[in-house]
Amino acid sequence: MKIGHIELPNSLFVAPMAGVTDRPFRQLCKRLGAGYAVSEMVTSRRDLWTSLKTSRRADHEGESAPIAVQIAGTDAAMMAEAAAYNVDRGAQVIDINMGCPAKKVCNRWAGSALMQDEALALRIVDAVVAACAPRNVPVTLKMRTGWCQAERNALRIARAAESAGVAMVTVHGRTREQGYKGEAEYETVAAVKAALRIPVVANGDIDSPAKAREVLQLTGADAIMVGRAAQGRPWIFREIAHFLATGELLPAPEVQQAKRWLIEHLGDHYGLYGEFAGVRSARKHIGWAVRALPGGEDFRSRMNLIESCEAQVRAVNDWFDQLAHTHRLLPAANEPFIEKTA
Ligand SMILES: Cc1cc2nc3c(=O)[nH]c(=O)nc-3n(C[C@H](O)[C@H](O)[C@H](O)COP(=O)(O)O)c2cc1C
């Protein structure tokens, strides 16, 4: 699997998720089997580049290659500038966001809203490719199947983007109008894959190894991208990798192993955000990790009152240790939790 000249270790991708796929989470997913992870989107608004939020997003210290940065905006020149800015800060791939349902930049809807204005979408693609090509940085495009059910123009935009020099296209199998409702469809992804020579990535509702195989078969895609199902289950990537390679399911991780991954993640997370913001923003990751486990909801409510890193780590440690007395393994993906037997 290659993006332009960049070779990837495998074709299992972490979806960009604002507020989730920060550097610690991307690194964790890569350690647990993902071959590629795109950063949270960075705005094309220059006045925000020095804000704490954007500068954290543009900080790739210690991140394993390739570093892929997603940019969002509505103005071609600003998007080109944002691409160059991020390449100067270490981005090796620039991804254009035409997939995110709701983001206003400069009072105009960016992300998937761009699919409604194909001429503007292509001006942005042209400008970003022109900024990146001299630096040998591939540009990729992430989009939905279209603006609305009646206007599923992913294929047209994908073809034009390929002609403009885009190196890879990701398609989330929903329209902008759908938001996250309903189920993802894969016919449009398959049509895009059949029409393009560059790699095509299938995205939407992949939440288990079996679903990953099904989507690959249905679409013929070169890679798959997983978002929400990796929240609290970052090891889904190695589960998928193992299943695709062998046809067999990996046993679910041990409770103690999941605890160690979470504690390591928390350490990296506090390192990036510091104590005050770190403890608060870590709560969602802990909540996702425990939500399917017995007593998880109670723990989540109690944990949300904790205000220091040390106390948060201690609470997580104690809670998982307690759970390990009665359960050796976590539930397998989409399976009920199974009591430990003697
Ligand atoms: C919390 C959250 C934040 C997201 N942020 C972005 C984003 O910044 N850029 C983007 O292209 N897509 C974004 N998405 C969409 C995901 O990348 C992905 O396309 C979508 O969640 C469908 O994949 P899934 O079913 O595997 O979750 C976001 C999704 C979620 C749930």
Side-chain angles (χ1 to χ4, degrees), residues 15-18 20 41 70 97 99-100 142 172 180 203-206 225-228 231:
M17 289 182 283
V20 182
M41 67 184 145
Q70 187 184 67
N97 181 344
C100 192
K142 177 161 179 288
H172 172 194
Y180 289 94
N203 170 237
D205 296 354
I206 299 170
M225 178 180 271
V226 177
R228 290 164 297 170
Q231 295 172 349

Side-chain angles (χ1 to χ4, degrees), residues 106-240:
C106 296
N107 294 324
R108 287 186 66 182
W109 292 104
S112 49
L114 291 175
M115 295 188 76
Q116 200 179 23
D117 185 344
E118 285 181 28
L120 173 61
L122 292 173
R123 278 203 302 281
I124 288 176
V125 168
D126 282 338
V128 174
V129 169
C132 292
R135 295 150 181 254
N136 202 21
V137 169
V139 174
T140 61
L141 179 62
K142 177 161 179 288
M143 60 182 170
R144 290 190 166 226
T145 53
W147 168 257
C148 61
Q149 193 60 19
E151 192 46 56
R152 281 189 288 171
N153 55 352
L155 181 55
R156 229 173 19 241
I157 295 183
R159 277 199 170 115
E162 180 179 60
S163 305
V166 159
M168 181 180 81
V169 168
T170 300
V171 186
H172 172 194
R174 286 187 176 83
T175 62
R176 140 101 195 197
E177 195 180 56
Q178 270 179 290
Y180 289 94
K181 291 196 210 78
E183 287 183 6
E185 56 90 358
Y186 305 109
E187 292 79 14
T188 307
V189 186
V192 171
K193 166 60 198 164
L196 265 52
R197 286 180 310 277
I198 54 173
V200 172
V201 185
N203 170 237
D205 296 354
I206 299 170
D207 60 359
S208 67
K211 185 73 183 262
R213 184 167 70 182
E214 185 192 324
V215 172
L216 281 170
Q217 283 168 351
L218 282 172
T219 60
D222 302 278
I224 48 163
M225 178 180 271
V226 177
R228 290 164 297 170
Q231 295 172 349
R233 284 189 79 84
W235 52 86
I236 190 173
F237 296 100
R238 63 180 212 164
E239 292 180 338
I240 295 175

Side-chain angles (χ1 to χ4, degrees), residues 2 59 71 85 93 114 189 248 271 321-322 326 328 334 342:
K2 277 174 122 183
D59 171 0
I71 54 173
Y85 173 84
V93 178
L114 291 175
V189 186
E248 287 176 9
D321 285 349
Q322 197 62 38
T326 48
R328 191 174 65 83
N334 298 334

